[in-house]
Short mmCIF file of all heavy atoms in Angstrom, two decimals:
data_model
loop_
_atom_site.label_atom_id
_atom_site.label_comp_id
_atom_site.label_asym_id
_atom_site.label_seq_id
_atom_site.Cartn_x
_atom_site.Cartn_y
_atom_site.Cartn_z
N LEU I 54 22.32 9.71 61.32
CA LEU I 54 23.26 10.77 61.87
C LEU I 54 24.71 10.50 61.42
O LEU I 54 25.44 11.37 61.18
CB LEU I 54 23.12 10.90 63.38
CG LEU I 54 21.74 11.48 63.79
CD1 LEU I 54 21.61 11.38 65.35
CD2 LEU I 54 21.58 12.87 63.33
N ALA I 55 25.10 9.22 61.48
CA ALA I 55 26.45 8.84 61.12
C ALA I 55 26.70 9.16 59.61
O ALA I 55 27.80 9.65 59.26
CB ALA I 55 26.63 7.30 61.36
N ILE I 56 25.74 8.86 58.73
CA ILE I 56 25.97 9.13 57.40
C ILE I 56 26.01 10.65 57.13
O ILE I 56 26.87 11.16 56.37
CB ILE I 56 24.81 8.53 56.54
CG1 ILE I 56 24.87 7.00 56.61
CG2 ILE I 56 24.81 9.03 55.11
CD1 ILE I 56 23.68 6.30 56.06
N ARG I 57 25.16 11.43 57.78
CA ARG I 57 25.23 12.91 57.68
C ARG I 57 26.58 13.40 58.12
O ARG I 57 27.19 14.34 57.49
CB ARG I 57 24.09 13.54 58.55
CG ARG I 57 22.74 13.48 57.94
CD ARG I 57 21.71 14.14 58.74
NE ARG I 57 20.37 14.08 58.29
CZ ARG I 57 19.38 14.50 58.97
NH1 ARG I 57 19.52 15.05 60.12
NH2 ARG I 57 18.13 14.35 58.40
N ALA I 58 27.02 12.92 59.27
CA ALA I 58 28.30 13.38 59.82
C ALA I 58 29.50 13.07 58.91
O ALA I 58 30.36 13.85 58.69
CB ALA I 58 28.57 12.75 61.21
N ARG I 59 29.40 11.88 58.35
CA ARG I 59 30.45 11.42 57.39
C ARG I 59 30.51 12.34 56.19
O ARG I 59 31.54 12.68 55.73
CB ARG I 59 30.19 9.95 56.98
CG ARG I 59 31.14 9.45 56.03
CD ARG I 59 30.73 7.97 55.69
NE ARG I 59 31.72 7.39 54.74
CZ ARG I 59 32.82 6.78 55.14
NH1 ARG I 59 33.13 6.70 56.44
NH2 ARG I 59 33.71 6.22 54.20
N ASN I 60 29.36 12.68 55.68
CA ASN I 60 29.33 13.44 54.47
C ASN I 60 29.48 14.97 54.71
O ASN I 60 29.80 15.78 53.82
CB ASN I 60 27.99 13.23 53.70
CG ASN I 60 27.98 11.84 53.04
OD1 ASN I 60 28.50 11.73 51.99
ND2 ASN I 60 27.51 10.83 53.71
N ALA I 61 29.32 15.41 55.97
CA ALA I 61 29.53 16.78 56.32
C ALA I 61 30.97 17.17 56.18
O ALA I 61 31.37 18.32 56.03
CB ALA I 61 29.00 17.07 57.69
N ARG I 62 31.84 16.14 56.31
CA ARG I 62 33.28 16.37 56.27
C ARG I 62 33.76 16.54 54.84
O ARG I 62 34.93 16.99 54.58
CB ARG I 62 34.02 15.24 56.94
CG ARG I 62 33.81 15.20 58.47
CD ARG I 62 34.89 14.30 59.12
NE ARG I 62 34.70 12.90 58.78
CZ ARG I 62 34.03 12.11 59.54
NH1 ARG I 62 33.38 12.49 60.63
NH2 ARG I 62 33.89 10.81 59.16
N HIS I 63 32.90 16.17 53.82
CA HIS I 63 33.32 16.24 52.43
C HIS I 63 32.79 17.48 51.77
O HIS I 63 31.79 17.94 52.06
CB HIS I 63 32.84 14.96 51.74
CG HIS I 63 33.47 13.71 52.29
ND1 HIS I 63 34.80 13.33 52.07
CD2 HIS I 63 33.02 12.79 53.16
CE1 HIS I 63 35.02 12.23 52.75
NE2 HIS I 63 33.96 11.83 53.38
#
Side-chain angles (χ1 to χ4, degrees):
Chain I
L54 292 173
I56 292 168
R57 285 184 182 172
R59 179 182 182 84
N60 287 277
R62 291 196 291 268
H63 299 284

